[in-house]
Amino acid sequence: MKNIIRYLIILSAVIFAGCDSESQYSIYRVNFVFDKSIHPYIQVNSYGQFICIKNGSTAGQYKITDAMGNTQTVNIPEIQMQMNPFHYGLGGLIIGTPMNCDGNIWAYDWACPTCDNRRHRVEIDYTIGHAKCPNCATIFDLNSGGIAIEGKSRPLWHYRVYDNAPNVIIQN
């Protein structure tokens, strides 16, 4: 009887060792809301177009880099800061509609998941939808779910996206 139990324990360990229990969603706090019908947010509606969001240099601001690589600072209304303040994950957000996924808006963390450090934001090549970590040189494909196409890494962290037209809510 002891041998049967031992065998079942070993068999269970072997079977479940190959299972991937790692979540695709990041543990870092995110809360960001935007209206996808106004510029520059409207760009996320187009397949293969991505915008990037990170906190600004002062409280009450964030910076947005559009699909052309242009950056601007946005002031957050005081009422928004009091009611439901924005949080941007570890390194900020990459938001867009990947070409090879489900046709929905996706949100990734801007920080490299291998380096797991806010200072190691991936650099976006907006023309082909790739992101490269300047620290570890891993390249991710934003149009295929943020998978690593060069280097050994897990995919970019994802955040939950709720499309409640015209507003998009990104939270975890």
Side-chain angles (χ1 to χ4, degrees):
M1 184 67 169
K2 287 184 179 180
N3 287 340
I4 293 173
I5 293 172
R6 185 177 301 150
Y7 173 76
L8 290 174
I9 291 171
I10 293 170
L11 181 64
S12 296
V14 169
I15 290 172
F16 292 113
C19 293
D20 183 11
S21 62
E22 187 175 23
S23 174
Q24 67 177 338
Y25 295 110
S26 175
I27 60 169
Y28 299 103
R29 189 170 180 196
V30 162
N31 183 53
F32 188 73
V33 180
F34 65 93
D35 183 338
K36 69 178 182 176
S37 68
I38 59 173
H39 180 76
Y41 308 105
I42 198 166
Q43 296 170 355
V44 302
N45 296 314
S46 299
Y47 285 97
Q49 298 292 306
F50 298 91
I51 62 172
C52 297
I53 309 288
K54 66 179 181 177
N55 53 348
S57 53
T58 63
Q61 292 182 337
Y62 64 89
K63 293 187 178 198
I64 179 170
T65 304
D66 67 18
M68 302 302 178
N70 302 312
T71 300
Q72 66 185 44
T73 300
V74 177
N75 291 314
I76 304 168
E78 184 67 32
I79 188 88
Q80 172 70 41
M81 289 176 46
Q82 292 173 2
M83 291 176 52
N84 205 3
F86 289 153
H87 298 279
Y88 310 95
L90 177 61
L93 299 169
I94 303 169
I95 308 165
T97 304
M99 295 188 72
N100 302 331
C101 290
D102 54 11
N104 294 315
I105 296 171
W106 282 45
Y108 306 106
D109 200 293
W110 200 346
C112 174
T114 303
C115 299
D116 202 34
N117 186 314
R118 78 178 59 240
R119 290 177 298 154
H120 298 146
R121 288 187 179 99
V122 293
E123 296 170 347
I124 312 295
D125 182 339
Y126 293 97
T127 59
I128 58 174
H130 287 175
K132 181 177 182 179
C133 178
N135 185 57
C136 70
T138 302
I139 298 176
F140 301 91
D141 186 353
L142 300 175
N143 285 306
S144 295
I147 62 169
I149 55 175
E150 279 188 34
K152 294 187 179 191
S153 176
R154 65 169 321 287
L156 290 170
W157 289 112
H158 295 181
Y159 292 107
R160 288 176 179 84
V161 177
Y162 305 97
D163 192 344
N164 187 15
N167 291 326
V168 174
I169 302 165
I170 302 170
Q171 291 180 328
N172 65 347

